[in-house]
């Protein structure tokens, strides 16, 4: 997520009209992250209703990025909590590099951050970078460590200092000015955000308004405008500032009616809010959640509605659409989540 996307999302949330059925809570999500020591919001349980699921994919990989702009850690399963992805004590983007004045530092300013690898062993983070000895950090810091006022995408948050050794490690590695590493804690106030998964990988996902992975339910908020961070080569730490942005702009710009929201940024990926927390794992089906089963004549053919004979959906909980005798699309009905 870029500066434009973060600012836009913050405006979207702050100006969102009140809804009597929604109770939005700003809670830390991806920690000290692209979302500003990140946070996500969830919605109270919806009334019971029947939804239809259309499988649109399968989870191939799951990654947790403990430190903003550094390499991720592959996991086989994770909890999708009200504070973002968690695997054991490993949490997504709960650490952030800052300047001494508290302003965040990302690969936009220091592209070599993408070369810092992170492994997790025995409740410790082990950091490695080219030309550097490894740095070992505890996953939980002493409460005696000082708190810093941090500035992320124009918002103020708190972060606990990780100590002088970590500060000197990043200062020596980046070789530009003095830096410090801070950690977000779950009792700290984060920024209100509705982002969870920024990195969708295929453009047909633009139409996935509500999805279900494992027992985690998510709802589309906005498309994700891409920023200059996408031009950092993760293998070399060199920033190009052109590609893939220039190519994306040739075919992934917003509709003219949405230019006030997205401006000239190309769109690739989706911001989702967490409607129901849960768990997910590699191999889980990804379901697109379709219309409630209030109209028994509605059956889908791929992404399109197709006319089929009326069917008693109470008698037939699984309905299939046929075209000239050939099965076109299974339509599975399930009780809605509360």
């Amino acid at each position: 997520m870029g500066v434009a996307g973060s600012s836009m999302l913050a405006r979207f949330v702050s100006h969102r009209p009140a809804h009597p059925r929604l109770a939005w809570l700003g809670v830390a999500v991806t920690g000290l992250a692209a979302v500003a020591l990140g946070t996500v919001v969830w919605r109270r349980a919806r009334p019971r209703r029947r939804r239809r699921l259309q499988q649109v994919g399968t989870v191939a990989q799951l990654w947790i990025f403990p430190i903003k702009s550094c390499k991720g850690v592959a996991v086989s399963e994770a909890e999708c909590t009200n504070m973002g992805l968690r695997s054991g004590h490993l949490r997504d983007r709960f650490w952030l590099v800052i300047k001494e004045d508290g302003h965040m530092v990302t690969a936009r300013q220091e592209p070599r951050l993408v070369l810092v690898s992170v492994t997790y062993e025995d409740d410790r983070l082990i950091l490695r970078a080219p030309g550097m000895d490894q740095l070992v950090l505890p996953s939980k810091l002493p409460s005696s460590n000082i708190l810093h006022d941090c500035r992320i995408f124009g918002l103020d948050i708190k972060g606990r200092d990780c100590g002088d050794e970590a500060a000197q490690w990043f200062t020596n590695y980046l070789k530009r000015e003095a830096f410090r590493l801070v950690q977000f804690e779950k009792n700290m106030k984060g920024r209100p955000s509705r982002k969870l998964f920024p990195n969708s990988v295929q453009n047909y996902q633009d139409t996935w308004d509500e999805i279900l992975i494992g027992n985690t339910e998510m709802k589309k908020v906005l498309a994700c405008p891409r920023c200059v961070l996408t031009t950092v080569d993760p293998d070399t730490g060199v920033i190009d500032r052109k590609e893939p942005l220039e190519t994306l702009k040739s075919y992934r710009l917003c509709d003219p009616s949405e230019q006030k929201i997205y401006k000239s940024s190309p769109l690739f990926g989706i911001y989702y809010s967490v409607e129901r927390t849960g768990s997910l794992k590699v191999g889980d089906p990804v379901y697109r959640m379709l219309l409630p089963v209030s109209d028994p004549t509605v059956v889908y053919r791929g992404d399109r509605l197709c006319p089929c004979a009326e069917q008693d959906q109470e008698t037939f909980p699984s309905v299939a659409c046929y075209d000239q005798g050939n099965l076109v699309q299974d339509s599975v009905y399930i009780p809605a989540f509360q």
Side-chain angles (χ1 to χ4, degrees):
M1 178 176 66
V3 176
S6 179
S7 301
M8 172 200 54
L9 196 59
R11 291 196 304 270
F12 179 87
V13 173
S14 62
H15 291 92
R16 189 179 184 276
H19 192 297
R21 294 175 58 195
L22 302 182
W24 294 98
L25 306 176
V27 289
V29 79
T30 51
L32 289 166
V35 188
L37 285 178
T39 64
V40 85
V41 290
W42 75 65
R43 192 172 71 177
R44 282 195 305 223
R46 300 188 225 183
R48 182 182 297 275
R49 58 177 178 171
R50 293 161 68 85
R51 303 299 302 274
R52 186 193 322 197
L53 300 183
Q54 178 189 46
Q55 185 172 348
V56 291
T58 302
V59 177
Q61 296 178 332
L62 280 173
W63 290 83
I64 289 179
F65 293 82
I67 304 176
K68 170 67 177 161
S69 286
C70 297
K71 291 182 182 294
V73 178
V75 297
S76 59
E77 57 186 316
E79 294 177 71
C80 184
T81 73
N82 58 356
M83 299 183 73
L85 290 181
R86 179 178 68 191
S87 180
H89 294 292
L90 188 64
R91 290 183 176 271
D92 190 76
R93 279 169 273 203
F94 262 43
W95 286 262
L96 175 74
V97 178
I98 61 170
K99 297 180 180 181
E100 289 196 318
D101 62 4
H103 281 79
M104 72 172 182
V105 178
T106 74
R108 297 172 188 83
Q109 301 86 31
E110 298 291 341
R112 292 178 68 243
L113 279 174
V114 302
L115 301 181
V116 177
S117 66
V118 182
T119 55
Y120 184 69
E121 300 174 10
D122 300 324
D123 290 339
R124 301 178 305 166
L125 292 181
I126 302 175
L127 278 59
R128 297 179 176 89
M132 300 291 295
D133 293 333
Q134 70 179 25
L135 172 68
V136 179
L137 295 173
S139 61
K140 183 175 177 59
L141 295 173
S143 59
S144 57
N145 285 23
I146 66 171
L147 291 176
H148 290 282
D149 292 319
C150 305
R151 188 75 169 170
I152 300 180
F153 295 118
L155 296 175
D156 295 316
I157 54 159
K158 298 286 187 181
R160 191 171 298 280
D161 191 89
C162 292
D164 291 340
E165 183 182 4
Q168 193 62 53
W169 193 89
F170 277 98
T171 299
N172 292 344
Y173 173 61
L174 296 175
K175 294 182 175 66
R176 283 170 54 99
E177 56 183 290
F179 298 102
R180 301 203 72 84
L181 184 69
V182 293
Q183 181 187 23
F184 184 75
E185 296 173 357
K186 61 184 180 181
N187 61 330
M188 295 177 181
K189 181 180 178 181
R191 60 167 287 178
S193 170
R194 302 180 65 189
K195 173 199 166 199
L196 179 63
F197 296 133
N199 294 323
S200 303
V201 296
Q202 292 174 311
N203 59 18
Y204 53 71
Q205 293 179 355
D206 294 344
T207 64
W208 299 356
D209 291 335
E210 295 182 81
I211 60 174
L212 175 72
I213 307 176
N215 58 355
T216 303
E217 183 181 345
M218 288 164 274
K219 184 179 178 64
K220 178 181 177 181
V221 179
L222 292 167
C224 182
R226 308 313 299 194
C227 72
V228 71
L229 188 58
T230 60
T231 70
V232 177
D233 187 326
D235 296 323
T236 65
V238 175
I239 189 168
D240 176 75
R241 298 190 179 276
K242 292 184 179 180
E243 292 296 345
L245 285 182
E246 294 302 316
T247 298
L248 286 173
K249 286 180 180 180
S250 69
Y251 71 102
R252 291 290 297 167
L253 293 177
C254 67
D255 185 272
S257 64
E258 299 176 316
Q259 284 185 347
K260 288 185 178 180
I261 301 175
Y262 300 112
K263 303 189 181 341
S264 61
S265 298
L267 308 181
F268 191 71
I270 298 174
Y271 295 113
Y272 283 101
S273 65
V274 177
E275 300 289 291
R276 179 182 175 91
T277 59
S279 60
L280 55 158
K281 62 183 183 295
V282 173
D284 273 346
V286 178
Y287 291 106
R288 179 185 179 191
M289 302 179 70
L290 302 174
L291 297 173
V293 191
S294 57
D295 181 356
T297 66
V298 174
V299 181
Y300 273 74
R301 176 179 182 178
D303 286 340
R304 297 173 297 167
L305 289 171
C306 67
C308 296
E310 290 189 9
Q311 310 216 26
D312 182 352
Q313 295 163 353
E314 295 299 324
T315 305
F316 302 96
S318 179
V319 180
C321 175
Y322 288 83
D323 181 23
Q324 297 180 351
N326 297 313
L327 179 64
V328 175
Q329 177 65 49
D330 286 326
S331 299
V332 181
Y333 300 97
I334 61 168
F337 300 102
Q338 299 187 46

